């Protein structure tokens, strides 16, 4: 079964508002987490990542927060724009027989309302 | 222009037929991966390769086969044993860091 999941399959926000997308993970040994954005019919694009020795990391208009106590990851998008409409996936790094691999959640579809 | 190239963009398979999806990268990455994505679902790992001439099964390898004869290439064959092949297939590669770089995907459908 999947060890990474999303709290909501769809999130609708007004243009200009901030968006918060949540993710729960179950493997306490995971040491690296990553957020991807996927537009319809395209491959996932890297947004931001964070290591387990950090609580917060900021990028351009995006912030990732990691709460290891409750095994929770979130992606915050500031001043949401129409181009932010996409499916957002979180992923965690899990060892596979000595070789690293990422396990993905099901994704959250972010819809921007005009 | 560096990146990962998947082809074709769309592919149709007849019953009982094997089809091969191409994945080429010029990023000089050692590790390459194949994922399957079904509508409204996350990515599930089919096969991965950490180095040339070596590959490992992922979570859903049954009905698929791969080869890694060259560093740049990691083709995926969907065999007739895969009874539900309709999906969006994504190839990815990874260098020295954990981040995966993805191709643009191949949509496989059954005729």
């Amino acid at each position: 079964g999947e060890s990474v999941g999303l709290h909501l399959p769809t999130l609708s926000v007004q243009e200009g508002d901030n968006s918060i997308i949540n993710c729960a993970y179950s493997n306490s040994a995971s040491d690296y987490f990553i957020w991807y954005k996927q537009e319809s019919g395209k491959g996932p694009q890297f947004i931001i990542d964070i290591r387990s020795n950090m609580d917060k990391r900021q990028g351009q208009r995006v912030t990732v927060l990691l709460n290891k106590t409750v095994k929770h990851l979130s992606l915050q998008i500031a001043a949401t724009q129409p181009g932010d409409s996409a499916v957002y996936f979180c992923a965690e790094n899990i060892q596979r027989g000595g070789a690293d691999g990422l396990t993905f959640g099901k994704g959250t579809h972010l819809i921007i309302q005009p | 222009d560096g990146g990962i190239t998947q082809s074709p963009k769309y592919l149709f398979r007849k019953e009982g037929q094997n089809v091969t999806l191409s994945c080429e990268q010029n990023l000089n990455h050692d590790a390459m991966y194949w994922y399957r994505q079904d509508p409204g679902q996350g990515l599930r790992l089919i096969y991965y390769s950490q180095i040339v001439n070596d590959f490992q099964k992922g979570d859903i390898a049954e009905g698929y086969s791969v080869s890694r004869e060259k560093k740049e290439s990691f083709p995926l064959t969907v065999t007739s044993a895969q009874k539900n092949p309709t999906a969006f297939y994504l190839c990815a590669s990874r260098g020295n860091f954990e981040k995966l770089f993805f191709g643009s995907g191949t949509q496989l459908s059954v005729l």
Side-chain angles (χ1 to χ4, degrees):
Chain A
E2 294 194 39
S3 64
V4 178
L6 277 297
H7 288 305
L8 291 172
T10 303
L11 176 64
S12 183
V13 300
Q14 292 291 127
E15 183 178 346
D17 287 352
N18 296 337
S19 302
I20 299 176
I21 301 171
N22 295 305
C23 180
Y25 65 95
S26 58
N27 193 331
S28 58
S30 295
D31 60 358
Y32 175 76
F33 304 87
I34 192 167
W35 281 99
Y36 282 93
K37 171 186 179 182
Q38 186 179 25
E39 296 175 49
S40 182
K42 297 183 180 179
Q45 294 176 288
F46 169 82
I47 301 174
I48 192 167
D49 56 3
I50 189 168
R51 296 195 175 279
S52 59
N53 61 354
M54 301 172 69
D55 297 322
K56 179 180 179 179
R57 192 166 185 217
Q58 287 185 291
Q60 187 176 14
R61 277 202 310 121
V62 295
T63 301
V64 56
L65 298 176
L66 177 62
N67 185 331
K68 294 180 286 295
T69 302
V70 295
K71 295 202 276 289
H72 185 268
L73 189 72
S74 69
L75 176 70
Q76 299 179 2
I77 304 174
T80 311
Q81 302 169 359
D84 294 328
S85 287
V87 176
Y88 290 81
F89 293 96
C90 64
E92 62 176 320
N93 190 58
I94 297 175
Q95 290 281 345
R96 291 180 184 275
D100 286 350
L102 288 177
T103 295
F104 289 82
K106 288 186 170 63
T108 291
H109 186 193
L110 180 63
I111 298 172
I112 311 303
Q113 304 281 4
Chain B
D1 187 26
I4 301 176
T5 302
Q6 289 188 242
S7 62
K9 178 69 174 174
Y10 300 96
L11 186 60
F12 296 91
R13 192 192 88 166
K14 296 179 182 179
E15 193 171 341
Q17 184 183 42
N18 293 352
V19 291
T20 297
L21 285 62
S22 171
C23 179
E24 302 279 331
Q25 54 101 358
N26 60 5
L27 299 168
N28 199 34
H29 287 170
D30 285 317
M32 297 187 73
Y33 303 79
W34 274 106
Y35 288 90
R36 170 180 170 139
Q37 186 176 32
D38 293 284
Q41 299 294 314
L43 280 63
R44 293 185 290 169
L45 184 65
I46 305 173
Y47 267 98
Y48 65 100
S49 169
Q50 293 295 111
I51 199 167
V52 174
N53 292 322
D54 183 62
F55 49 83
Q56 304 295 329
K57 292 182 179 180
D59 300 317
I60 55 166
E62 186 174 349
Y64 300 97
S65 65
V66 294
S67 62
R68 189 82 188 279
E69 298 176 2
K70 298 187 298 181
K71 186 176 185 177
E72 305 78 26
S73 180
F74 191 40
L76 173 74
T77 297
V78 184
T79 74
S80 58
Q82 174 49 249
K83 299 306 180 186
N84 184 26
T86 297
F88 191 53
Y89 290 86
L90 287 160
C91 179
S93 70
R94 174 189 285 194
N96 292 330
F97 302 98
E98 292 90 340
K99 183 169 63 178
L100 289 178
F101 292 83
F102 284 90
S104 55
T106 293
Q107 176 63 50
L108 175 63
S109 303
V110 177
L111 288 176

